[in-house]
Amino acid sequence: MQIFSGFIALYLLTMSFYAGIAMSAIIEKLAPGKDVVTIFCGFLLYYFSVDIIIRFMLQELPALTVQPYLIKNIKRKYLVRFLNIRSLFHFLNLVPLLLFIPFSLIKIWPGYGGPAAVSFIATVVLLVSFNHFLILYVKRKMILYNWLMVGFFLVVVIVGFCDYHGYFSIRTFSSSLFLKLLQMPWLAAISLLTAVAAFVNSNRYLYKNLYIEEMVKPGGSKSSAEYTWLNSLGIVGELISLDLKLILRNKRPRSLLLMSGLVLFYGFFFYKKESLANNQFGLMIVGAIFITGSFIISYGNYLFAWQSSHYDGLVAGRIKWRDYIKSKLMLFLIISTVCFSVSCLYGLISWKLVIIQFAAYLFNIGVVSVLTVYIATWNYKRLDIEKSASFNYQGTGLTQWIHAFLILLAPGAFYLPFALLIDPWAGIASLGIAGFASLLLWDYWVEILLKQFDKRKHLILAGFREK
């Protein structure tokens, strides 16, 4: 997998380099008669905005690389400096350089002069560094303040929505900003200040929290985070709390949770005004299912396997398996409710989208969640949750493909017959009613899932013991 990942990285870097060389010709072909540099500058802030989101998912915290040095007689400030500077050697930091430097040399240098091209390249390098250290800081803070993740994605969704509907234009601002830089190269000093500020901030935070036990909330104790709002659910709430801690403290499940936040943007691809006007809801249903249920689909794909390293302890503990299964369903309900609440912003486009998403939300928490737990009892493959999710197919097998196929098939089975024979709104209603009816039968489903789990409990245990 490392060799395969290396080839993929090499391919992407090569394509970035060729795209940088051909970018001028590509822009001229897509926008004939317009100034290439102006159009290019207009999309730069979009690139760096998307770069932040991609880094949020793929950029790993390099804290583990410093551990072998902690027992040696090396000053902490040197360790911190080493850790931050070493982290710059990352695949994501090479892509923009290979993409933008060739364009600068081919198009900006001849048209605006050497100083402008040099200041532009310097600004790109500094903005890459700013994004790099910003995400390192934010992800470290999220370990202590989980609400930052929700706030981060909420800001991204609001900004994207406002730009999409013309309340303000990132493209216009970006074009004006970078064209001004080409006219006054000294403005690159501003990007230098932002990059230095991000580095110093990351340096100071890491210096204060170089040891894991020092990373605590101000005024708080050095104990595990507690979710007091789950106390009312009793043992089910405690099990949900354990799941949340597992998700937020380990790379692979945390990446899936972040991906669920990114899926909230799917509406911009699936929700088309023409389709809304003609009540063509087929693709919108697919988008709504993913937006409100992406966590159920992705996390539920390996539902029991996330705890495979300590599953023997769970089985030996005094836990009622009925409560254990209920905790999984309640976890799906909580995360899906958050996703649906945020996605209601699409209602500003059309009130129809709120109804479509509500029907998809009911279907996800009522039908998809039960189906996911049932299929999870057939998965016997162990997972290493500390490994990155990028290009990681460990634990993936036939069960995951069956799960994906059924999730795609199930909404269509309820929507299409009513939509084709009666009306698209009847299809939406059938989806919501099926989900709500399944919710009313939750206790019944729990008993069925419990029996299924009892049959396969020892097969799951045997599979999770294999390394």
Side-chain angles (χ1 to χ4, degrees):
M1 285 310 301
Q2 287 180 342
I3 294 171
F4 175 73
S5 300
F7 277 118
I8 293 295
L10 182 61
Y11 171 76
L12 290 175
L13 291 173
T14 305
M15 292 305 295
S16 298
F17 179 69
Y18 279 116
I21 294 174
M23 192 173 294
S24 176
I26 293 170
I27 294 174
E28 287 175 353
K29 187 175 181 179
L30 295 175
K34 295 185 179 180
D35 184 58
V36 172
V37 176
T38 301
I39 294 174
F40 173 78
C41 290
F43 284 97
L44 278 175
L45 281 186
Y46 284 116
Y47 174 85
F48 285 109
S49 300
V50 173
D51 180 60
I52 284 179
I53 297 171
I54 293 173
R55 287 175 185 276
F56 209 90
M57 293 188 300
L58 300 181
Q59 188 168 316
E60 300 173 8
L61 294 176
L64 293 177
T65 57
V66 82
Q67 285 184 352
Y69 302 95
L70 294 177
I71 59 173
K72 298 182 181 296
N73 186 22
I74 302 174
K75 289 186 178 181
R76 185 186 289 201
K77 64 179 180 180
Y78 297 130
L79 284 177
V80 169
R81 244 178 251 162
F82 159 74
L83 195 61
N84 272 321
I85 293 174
R86 185 185 184 279
S87 69
L88 283 170
F89 295 92
H90 194 280
F91 162 75
L92 291 173
N93 295 334
L94 289 175
V95 171
L97 303 184
L98 294 174
L99 195 60
F100 297 140
I101 290 178
F103 179 85
S104 305
L105 298 176
I106 293 171
K107 202 70 182 177
I108 294 177
W109 192 303
Y112 292 85
V118 171
S119 70
F120 180 83
I121 292 171
T123 299
V124 168
V125 172
L126 292 167
L127 286 176
V128 167
S129 302
F130 172 78
N131 279 6
H132 175 84
F133 290 116
L134 174 67
I135 290 302
L136 289 184
Y137 175 73
V138 169
K139 292 181 80 167
R140 286 186 178 115
K141 292 291 284 186
M142 275 174 46
I143 296 172
L144 301 180
Y145 303 100
N146 300 330
W147 56 266
L148 276 175
M149 182 175 63
V150 178
F152 175 82
F153 280 109
L154 190 59
V155 168
V156 170
V157 169
I158 292 172
V159 171
F161 177 85
C162 292
D163 180 67
Y164 182 78
H165 289 280
Y167 296 112
F168 60 79
S169 175
I170 295 177
R171 181 179 174 182
T172 302
F173 177 71
S174 176
S175 179
S176 173
L177 182 67
F178 285 99
L179 285 175
K180 189 72 70 177
L181 170 70
L182 296 179
Q183 296 165 4
M184 295 183 285
W186 60 267
L187 288 175
I190 298 174
S191 57
L192 174 63
L193 291 175
T194 58
V196 169
F199 174 79
V200 170
N201 182 56
S202 178
N203 222 48
R204 289 178 60 187
Y205 184 78
L206 198 56
Y207 183 84
K208 292 179 180 178
N209 302 285
L210 189 59
Y211 298 98
I212 296 297
E213 60 269 19
E214 293 175 346
M215 297 184 68
V216 295
K217 297 180 183 180
S221 60
K222 298 175 184 177
S223 61
S224 299
E226 298 296 337
Y227 302 95
T228 54
W229 50 279
L230 291 170
N231 288 346
S232 60
L233 298 176
I235 186 64
V236 172
E238 290 182 28
L239 292 169
I240 295 172
S241 176
L242 287 174
D243 261 314
L244 291 174
K245 291 172 185 176
L246 180 146
I247 292 167
L248 295 171
R249 293 175 182 177
N250 295 280
K251 293 178 183 177
R252 193 166 176 182
R254 187 168 63 234
S255 298
L256 293 181
L257 184 63
L258 296 176
M259 182 64 74
S260 299
L262 287 180
V263 170
L264 292 170
F265 290 100
Y266 273 29
F268 293 120
F269 301 101
F270 285 98
Y271 301 156
K272 303 297 182 183
K273 292 182 179 179
E274 301 80 15
S275 301
L276 280 169
N278 298 321
N279 288 346
Q280 297 173 348
F281 301 141
L283 283 177
M284 292 186 187
I285 288 293
V286 176
I289 290 291
F290 279 110
I291 287 171
T292 60
S294 60
F295 178 80
I296 299 174
I297 298 167
S298 57
Y299 187 77
N301 233 342
Y302 310 96
L303 187 60
F304 304 131
W306 297 116
Q307 297 168 308
S308 56
S309 61
H310 58 270
Y311 217 76
D312 283 322
L314 282 175
V315 173
R318 299 176 62 184
I319 298 174
K320 292 181 179 178
W321 290 110
R322 182 179 286 99
D323 293 330
Y324 181 72
I325 290 171
K326 279 185 178 180
S327 73
K328 301 300 182 184
L329 293 172
M330 284 297 297
L331 176 68
F332 290 157
L333 174 63
I334 291 167
I335 303 295
S336 190
T337 301
V338 172
C339 292
F340 168 69
S341 301
V342 175
S343 71
C344 283
L345 290 169
Y346 284 115
L348 296 173
I349 300 176
S350 172
W351 59 269
K352 294 179 182 179
L353 292 177
V354 177
I355 298 175
I356 293 170
Q357 289 181 156
F358 184 62
Y361 162 72
L362 289 175
F363 189 80
N364 276 322
I365 61 175
V367 177
V368 174
S369 60
V370 174
L371 192 62
T372 296
V373 177
Y374 185 86
I375 295 173
T377 61
W378 293 79
N379 182 27
Y380 314 138
K381 293 194 175 184
R382 182 188 179 91
L383 275 183
D384 184 353
I385 59 177
E386 293 185 359
K387 290 185 178 179
S388 172
S390 307
F391 303 110
N392 188 350
Y393 302 101
Q394 185 204 14
T396 303
L398 181 61
T399 304
Q400 281 67 42
W401 291 106
I402 293 173
H403 178 248
F405 176 73
L406 290 177
I407 295 305
L408 289 173
L409 189 65
F414 285 92
Y415 171 76
L416 287 175
F418 292 92
L420 295 174
L421 297 175
I422 304 175
D423 183 78
W425 283 113
I428 297 293
S430 70
L431 208 65
I433 291 170
F436 184 70
S438 184
L439 272 179
L440 295 178
L441 295 171
W442 243 24
D443 289 337
Y444 172 73
W445 295 131
V446 168
E447 293 302 320
I448 290 178
L449 293 172
L450 184 59
K451 291 177 182 177
Q452 172 71 3
F453 183 79
D454 280 335
K455 287 180 186 177
R456 306 196 170 275
K457 179 170 58 179
H458 296 289
L459 291 172
I460 294 172
L461 278 168
F464 287 171
R465 291 187 186 118
E466 294 181 10
K467 295 184 180 180

